[in-house]
Amino acid sequence: MAHSFDIILRNGRVMDPETGFDQVCDLAVKGGSIAAVGHLDGSAEQEIDATGLVVAPGFLDLHAHGQSVAADRMQAFDGVTTTLELEVGALPVADWYARQAKQPRALNYGTAAAWLFGRKATFGAIELDASVHPIDQMGAGSENMDWSTEAASPEQTKDIVAHVRQGLEDGAIGIGLPNGYAPGAGVKEMADICDLAYEYNAPTFTHIAYLSNIDPQSSVDSYVRLIGLAGATGAHMHICHLNSTSLMDIERVVELVKKAQDQGLPVTTEAYPYGTGATVVSAGFFMDPDFTNRTGSDYSNIELIRNHHRFSGREDMRNAREEDPTDLVMWHFLDVEANDEHRRLLDLSVTYPGGSIASDAMPWINEDGSIYEGLDWPLPENLSAHPRSSGTFTRFLREHVRERSTMPLMEALAKCTILPAKVIESCAPAIRKKVRLQEGCDADIVVFDLETLTDKADFTAMNRPSEGVRYLLVNGEMVIHEGKLETGAAPGKPIKRGAA
């Protein structure tokens, strides 16, 4: 007997954040696409009873540094179907995509063009090599920090722009612009990069230039600069991790972003629901002689991920960066469990209307600090990253929908799907079919139990998968089935600029 469909999800609560569709009904998949939504009479090779479960578009993560099979698998349990490296990016972009195509990627993937790597290469600090993980490239070049601290000459600026332009030509989804790691880059260079972004109708994904609660060079200064660049060049400035880069100035920064948006400027934001950030130990801002005063944070709030060492001061940190500049650290900048004001500030960024949820997921690393590239499942016990690499979206839904009711489920789902898609879909139209539960769209679907959905990872056990995602389909193929990983599944496809 011929079946009408490949898969039918029966009697789930089907929710499409774009249209507001919210009904208990069926959803059918055929040939990797959504074939029908409604009360269906047809049959399928596989029928799944989704009674009591939410059926939603798979989540789109704009800010995920993992980009490996291990990272995909952990994010699958977090409901993610597309995971993009946009804040940092990669260079050369064509080589990066070619390398990913050889991996059995479970989730859809993509990258921005890495302005920072173009800058490092121009200053002679690194060789461009897509076989080096972007996070390792972030830590490279610490022997001479001119690429971070010095303004580029007109000739150097042309060279940097040329590197980034080639990345866009090779399919990069916009420009990764982590200005905070090279705060010496001047406004002339930034304006030229933003002109390029506008020319290609491609967003920039920005890490603000300064991390400080006090002027000059405060976080507020940085946001005003980015908003000014949007107004002056027309470039879409997407501001990454609103929660962590604003420090104690979140309230003022949120006001500035809203005022800019109310004026129609192309400015968007994202946040993740943790009061702890993560980066490389060689990040220049840690060496600011006035770091503690400017950030309101003691060095003891910074912790080496691989061994949980807490730093005693600036010299301790300097020694660690000299030993291995690519080592990853966590920075506990908000104590949301014990401090109600810190909780309120984090909420302002996470619940910001129109803002996306994005994980800033870190790569999984071995005990020696090297990045794990293996295929073992479950993940080996000795690996570490950051809990946000495992539980960002499930934590957000658990806290803000089920437990604290700060917003209805449909609004929360929009922050995980259609809102991040709107940031990139004019540049990467393929994403339009990946965040909608509508006929003809790609079958990138998460099916979860809202009553049990939860993150399980914490700072002592980062590699615990989230719970509550019962099924996850990527391009119509099951990656999670009845709450268990299909280890042979590798349906992830590249998402590129301009590819429909």
Side-chain angles (χ1 to χ4, degrees), residues 12 27 29 33 49 92-93 151-152 193 260 282 285 378 385 387 474:
L27 184 147
V29 174
S33 298
D49 181 7
V93 166
I193 291 290
S282 56
F285 42 78
V474 177

Side-chain angles (χ1 to χ4, degrees), residues 289-334:
D290 206 19
F291 172 80
T292 300
N293 186 35
R294 290 177 65 78
T295 63
S297 181
D298 194 78
Y299 278 101
S300 63
N301 291 339
I302 304 166
E303 176 183 2
L304 264 179
I305 286 178
R306 61 182 169 83
N307 62 8
H308 300 290
H309 170 72
R310 295 280 189 141
F311 290 97
S312 60
R314 189 161 170 261
E315 284 310 304
D316 189 15
M317 205 135 194
R318 186 195 300 279
N319 292 337
R321 72 193 302 235
E322 286 175 1
E323 183 181 333
D324 184 355
T326 67
D327 247 344
L328 298 178
V329 295
M330 293 184 291
W331 180 6
H332 304 283
F333 59 91
L334 291 176

